[in-house]
Amino acid sequence: MNSTKTIFEKSKPGHVAYSLPKIDVEAKSADEILPKHLLADSEVNLPELSEGEVVRHFTELSTKSHGVDSGFYPLGSCTMKYNAKINEDIAQIPNFANLHPHMPERASQGALELQYNLQQHLAEITGMDAITLQPVAGAHGELTGIMLIDAYHKNKGNNKKTILVPDSAHGTNPATASMVGYDVVQVSSNERGLVDIDSLKEALNDDVAALMLTNPNTLGLFEEDILEIAELVHEVGGLLYYDGANTNAIMGISRPGDMGFDVVHLNLHKTFGTPHGGGGPGSGPVGVKEELVEFMPTPTVIQKNGQFKLDYNRPKTIGKVHSFYGNFGVNLKAYSYILALGGEGLKQVSEDAVLNANYLMERLKKHFTLPFDRVCMHEFVLSGKDLKDYGVKTLDIAKGLLDYGYHPPTVYFPLIVEEALMVEPTETESKETLDNFADTMAELVETSKNNNEQVLTAPHTTVVGRLDEAGAARKPVVVHEE
């Protein structure tokens, strides 16, 4: 097993990674310059290394991390596609990268035009009437969307208290609804993995503010009854919220606005090819239909008299949800992605994502249980429940994949599938990659049956072996101790 010393363990007194010119002003100690509350109570124990040692340390660490640039990353519902490097180059153009958000509008016309155009493109892709680019993550977009729905109802004098969420929903959906102050009621799935219409009808009443829905859903299945669902929700005065986590399956093919959704959030850091993971950076724009435009966060970018301006004139706005105008760099990369592909290219992205998912599903269903054996969209969910007969769980398969250089699929989600494995190959992977992954999964199944100890003790080739995950969560070590 590989081992890596921490940077503190590599530290040697007297090693330095910098060389500063001699000071040409009167030298003063820190306590003469800074107030006491900004000073450390004791000496700060920082590692001492040369520049070369620092570079080698972090370069070595980078090779031990897994990302879309180093291997296949089939993390279901996360759309870990390869991110074209041209978009990174575009984001580093100095006139964009060095632009300060406090620059006056007259000196920021190019950046404002880009934001305006991106709003228009996303509105067209989703079938919405207006877009805000302020939210900086998917869950942040969800929160903004539900706040907009809440403002809409309160403006109409509605005292609705309930939001409906399917049993296959992302966990952020009920969490978001609860944060905004709503009670959450679960809607069951039917035997085909779709929203059960009878369960929905039973849950609907005048107290329902909205139904939060992903389409395709987290099982990778398209909600075929979406028009009826929208009609039922609207009949009781509720709104339909679209969780855009799975938009990669439908671009250029169908639009949430045409399905009857009133509010949409997107994940530019997933669907539109900007890198993500490790907590950021992200961008979660929110789109709305006309009746919710007046509640949108301020400012949005508008075009007036041939100039692009920041519009703050929205008396019923929910207010700002982020500083300045959102994550501009992420928005810029997504804009580059959209322009490079165009309408037909975006459609091909979704078609290829669906093709890859169905091909891989057909190969893997020979080795795992497929709870919903039908054509999927961009992802699918397997069950490893039969491996329990050999003492092996889904978690063990996930750990075993690490030894082959693959990031595991999403495990144990959605909760309605026992021993779930959610696989999303994305459109950027080749048939060879999918075949190699399928062969590896088949090998792990055979190993589970014939030599389960190999799987139960995996991984064997990573920097650390199998961790006590429950212990790490309950008793995390977050500081370095001598």
Side-chain angles (χ1 to χ4, degrees):
M1 182 166 298
N2 299 323
S3 63
T4 300
K5 290 184 177 180
T6 69
I7 198 166
F8 290 92
E9 292 170 328
K10 294 179 179 180
S11 176
K12 298 293 181 183
H15 288 208
V16 293
Y18 60 88
S19 177
L20 299 177
K22 289 184 178 180
I23 190 168
D24 59 357
V25 296
E26 181 185 356
K28 291 187 176 183
S29 62
D31 56 3
E32 292 181 88
I33 303 171
L34 300 174
K36 187 175 181 179
H37 72 276
L38 293 179
L39 299 174
D41 294 330
S42 58
E43 184 177 347
V44 179
N45 181 28
L46 295 177
E48 299 178 63
L49 297 95
S50 69
E51 180 178 332
E53 290 170 326
V54 171
V55 170
R56 286 175 180 171
H57 175 77
F58 286 104
T59 300
E60 180 187 8
L61 286 181
S62 73
T63 65
K64 299 180 186 301
S65 297
H66 189 91
V68 292
D69 286 353
S70 58
F72 186 39
Y73 210 127
L75 194 63
S77 246
C78 293
T79 314
M80 303 299 288
K81 64 173 73 179
Y82 170 76
N83 306 126
K85 298 302 174 277
I86 182 63
N87 301 327
E88 298 297 315
D89 293 338
I90 296 295
Q92 294 178 46
I93 292 175
N95 287 1
F96 285 130
N98 298 330
L99 187 64
H100 195 281
H102 278 312
M103 289 285 284
E105 292 177 1
R106 58 180 172 77
S108 311
Q109 285 297 294
L112 292 175
E113 181 178 0
L114 185 151
Q115 295 273 79
Y116 176 83
N117 289 343
L118 181 57
Q119 290 172 183
Q120 303 305 111
H121 290 327
L122 296 179
E124 174 63 26
I125 291 168
T126 58
M128 293 288 113
D129 293 317
I131 297 282
T132 174
L133 301 176
Q134 264 191 51
V136 294
H140 193 196
E142 281 185 25
L143 179 64
T144 302
I146 298 303
M147 288 171 65
L148 287 165
I149 289 172
D150 186 55
Y152 166 84
H153 284 305
K154 287 179 177 176
N155 185 63
K156 293 176 70 71
N158 298 333
N159 189 31
K160 294 177 178 288
K161 299 178 181 178
T162 304
I163 284 183
L164 306 182
V165 176
D167 57 8
S168 63
H170 293 109
T172 50
N173 288 180
T176 296
S178 180
M179 282 186 67
V180 182
Y182 285 96
D183 297 326
V184 178
V185 173
Q186 182 173 282
V187 178
S188 301
S189 297
N190 61 25
E191 69 282 353
R192 303 188 70 233
L194 307 177
V195 169
D196 185 271
I197 297 298
D198 290 336
S199 176
L200 175 61
K201 289 179 177 178
E202 185 177 339
L204 282 170
N205 54 53
D206 292 338
D207 197 38
V208 171
L211 167 67
M212 301 181 76
L213 194 63
T214 308
N215 198 19
N217 63 28
T218 55
L219 295 167
L221 305 175
F222 191 84
E223 294 286 352
E224 299 166 351
D225 298 321
I226 186 58
L227 296 180
E228 181 181 358
I229 291 171
E231 183 178 354
L232 289 170
V233 173
H234 290 149
E235 280 179 356
V236 298
L239 299 179
L240 200 56
Y241 174 87
Y242 183 83
D243 178 335
N246 297 339
T247 309
N248 209 52
I250 63 169
M251 289 187 294
I253 300 167
S254 60
R255 306 191 306 172
D258 299 332
M259 301 177 202
F261 286 92
D262 305 286
V263 180
V264 169
H265 99 258
L266 295 170
N267 297 290
L268 301 191
H269 49 281
K270 292 170 60 171
T271 310
F272 296 95
T274 75
H276 70 292
S283 181
V286 172
V288 297
K289 286 294 192 179
E290 182 61 39
E291 60 268 24
L292 287 98
V293 170
E294 61 182 327
F295 309 108
M296 291 177 69
T298 55
T300 54
V301 183
I302 62 171
Q303 187 176 22
K304 186 175 182 180
N305 300 325
Q307 295 288 305
F308 296 95
K309 298 180 178 295
L310 294 169
D311 180 21
Y312 291 88
N313 185 23
R314 211 177 292 275
K316 296 182 180 180
T317 177
I318 62 170
K320 292 179 72 68
V321 295
H322 191 262
S323 57
F324 300 112
Y325 325 113
N327 274 344
F328 178 73
V330 180
N331 295 341
L332 174 53
K333 295 173 193 178
Y335 184 64
S336 172
Y337 180 84
I338 291 170
L339 291 186
L341 289 171
E344 286 302 313
L346 292 175
K347 182 179 180 181
Q348 185 178 344
V349 163
S350 292
E351 291 174 340
D352 290 348
V354 172
L355 177 64
N356 276 359
N358 278 277
Y359 176 76
L360 190 56
M361 181 182 71
E362 286 298 314
R363 287 219 46 190
L364 291 180
K365 75 179 187 180
K366 303 171 186 175
H367 308 285
F368 293 84
T369 300
L370 182 63
F372 304 97
D373 191 357
R374 45 181 292 212
V375 173
C376 68
M377 297 295 287
H378 66 305
E379 66 186 6
F380 56 94
V381 179
L382 302 168
S383 171
K385 64 180 183 178
D386 292 343
L387 293 176
K388 292 167 72 174
D389 295 339
Y390 304 93
V392 174
K393 298 180 179 180
T394 287
L395 180 65
D396 302 315
I397 296 296
K399 299 296 185 183
L401 281 169
L402 297 175
D403 283 333
Y404 293 84
Y406 294 115
H407 193 287
T410 300
V411 296
Y412 299 113
F413 180 80
L415 300 177
I416 59 174
V417 174
E418 182 183 358
E419 295 293 318
L421 280 152
M422 182 196 292
V423 185
E424 182 182 3
T426 82
E427 76 282 359
T428 58
E429 302 300 336
S430 66
K431 180 177 179 295
E432 289 76 17
T433 296
L434 302 184
D435 284 335
N436 290 337
F437 178 74
D439 291 343
T440 299
M441 291 284 276
E443 183 178 335
L444 283 169
V445 169
E446 288 305 307
T447 303
S448 298
K449 295 177 180 178
N450 302 314
N451 180 22
N452 70 353
E453 188 65 21
Q454 179 71 18
V455 180
L456 294 174
T457 56
H460 306 279
T461 62
T462 50
V463 179
V464 295
R466 187 169 297 212
L467 302 174
D468 177 4
E469 297 180 358
R474 292 170 183 164
K475 298 179 180 180
V477 178
V478 295
V479 295
H480 171 72
E481 297 181 358
E482 292 294 336

